[in-house]
């Protein structure tokens, strides 16, 4: 399917690996010029060269912490008028709510609520003026199904969902959509890190922990960054202009509800 994105520009946050990279690759495959972001210069350079060489699009990269004001300025200087913004950022580490102090709570809210709101505010005027724009926020299945130890991440991302649910209706008349993708268990470094912690705490082998986790998913497997990215690319396409304010679960059926 031609997604109608050839020549568009996409700013993809936290895109040197994992789900962010999956989104960047899918958008590049659709013909978008890409601005990558991450904290490791060597990794970003390698990913940028790979994507540019494979898909024949222009790729630049910005080494920055997207949750800081300086990082956002650098991103917007490199890609001042994106047609597509993919908001992504690491979540706070798993921690019981009783262990959270004020500083940790504020840091989590800045990472997963304030930062994507600030970036959306920065790019929306240009999108509405041009009559086309797509914002996709990578949040989490825990927005719908809170998980113990991820209370801060769940709360901040749920706040983002509610905030942008109103904003998306303001910009919809101008050809701009805002949607959220809620990943379940995907084969990423973050998931692997959780398995390693569980294995160390329980004495189980890493393979046993992974197998038990996969068995909980009706699809019987973990998701891949590639299929996640393709969903993102479709939401950014010209064919998805009537989809806005939606929370798209990608979880292999793990969330047990009809609605």
């Amino acid at each position: 399917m031609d997604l109608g994105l050839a020549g568009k520009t996409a700013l993809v946050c936290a895109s040197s690996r994992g789900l962010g990279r999956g989104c960047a690759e899918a958008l590049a495959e659709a013909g978008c010029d890409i601005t990558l972001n991450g904290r490791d210069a060597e990794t970003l350079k390698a990913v940028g060269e790979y994507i540019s060489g494979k898909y024949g699009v222009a790729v630049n990269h910005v080494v920055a912490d997207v949750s800081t004001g300086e990082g956002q300025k650098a991103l917007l200087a490199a890609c001042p008028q994106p047609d597509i913004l993919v908001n992504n950022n690491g979540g706070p580490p798993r921690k019981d709510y009783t262990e959270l102090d004020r500083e940790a709570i504020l840091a989590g809210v800045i990472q997963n609520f304030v930062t994507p709101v600030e970036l959306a505010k920065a790019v929306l005027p240009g999108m509405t003026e041009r009559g086309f724009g797509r914002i996709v926020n990578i949040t989490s299945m825990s927005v719908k199904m809170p998980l113990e130890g991820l209370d801060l991440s769940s709360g901040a991302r749920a706040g983002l969902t509610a905030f942008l649910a109103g904003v998306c209706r303001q910009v919809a008349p101008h050809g701009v959509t805002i949607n959220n993708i809620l990943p379940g268990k995907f084969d990423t470094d973050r998931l692997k890190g959780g398995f390693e912690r569980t294995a160390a705490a329980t004495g189980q082998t890493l393979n046993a922990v992974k197998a038990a986790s996969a068995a909980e998913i009706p699809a019987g497997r973990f998701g891949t960054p590639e299929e996640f990215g393709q969903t993102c690319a479709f939401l950014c396409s010209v064919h998805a202009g009537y989809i806005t304010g939606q929370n798209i679960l990608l979880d292999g059926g793990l969330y047990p509800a009809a609605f």
Side-chain angles (χ1 to χ4, degrees), residues 83 127-128 130-134 170-178 240-241:
D83 300 299
M127 290 179 174
T128 57
R130 294 188 301 274
F132 179 90
R134 301 287 187 261
Q170 291 179 251
V171 299
H174 305 285
V176 179
T177 69
I178 304 175

Side-chain angles (χ1 to χ4, degrees), residues 101-194:
D101 57 18
R102 183 182 180 87
E103 183 179 359
I105 293 171
L106 291 176
V109 171
I110 289 172
Q111 280 180 298
N112 297 143
F113 173 76
V114 175
T115 294
V117 167
E118 288 176 333
L119 286 172
K121 281 185 60 183
V123 304
L124 278 171
M127 290 179 174
T128 57
E129 183 178 345
R130 294 188 301 274
F132 179 90
R134 301 287 187 261
I135 296 178
V136 175
N137 306 292
I138 300 177
T139 61
S140 172
M141 183 185 70
S142 69
V143 169
K144 283 184 170 286
M145 191 172 77
L147 301 172
E148 184 178 336
L150 293 179
D151 312 282
L152 178 55
S153 173
S154 302
R157 296 182 197 276
L160 174 69
T161 302
F163 186 101
L164 293 178
V167 175
C168 75
R169 273 116 185 137
Q170 291 179 251
V171 299
H174 305 285
V176 179
T177 69
I178 304 175
N179 292 290
N180 312 299
I181 307 181
L182 285 57
K185 296 182 179 182
F186 275 77
D187 189 10
T188 62
D189 290 342
R190 183 174 175 84
L191 188 66
K192 180 182 177 183

Side-chain angles (χ1 to χ4, degrees), residues 174-241:
H174 305 285
V176 179
T177 69
I178 304 175
N179 292 290
N180 312 299
I181 307 181
L182 285 57
K185 296 182 179 182
F186 275 77
D187 189 10
T188 62
D189 290 342
R190 183 174 175 84
L191 188 66
K192 180 182 177 183
F195 293 155
E196 291 171 344
R197 287 190 296 273
T198 300
T202 63
Q204 300 178 72
T205 67
L206 184 59
N207 284 339
V209 172
K210 288 175 66 176
S213 183
E216 297 174 351
I217 305 169
R221 65 176 179 86
F222 304 121
T224 69
E226 291 77 16
E227 62 190 327
F228 187 95
Q230 293 297 333
T231 300
C232 176
F234 178 76
L235 287 174
C236 295
S237 75
V238 296
H239 309 297

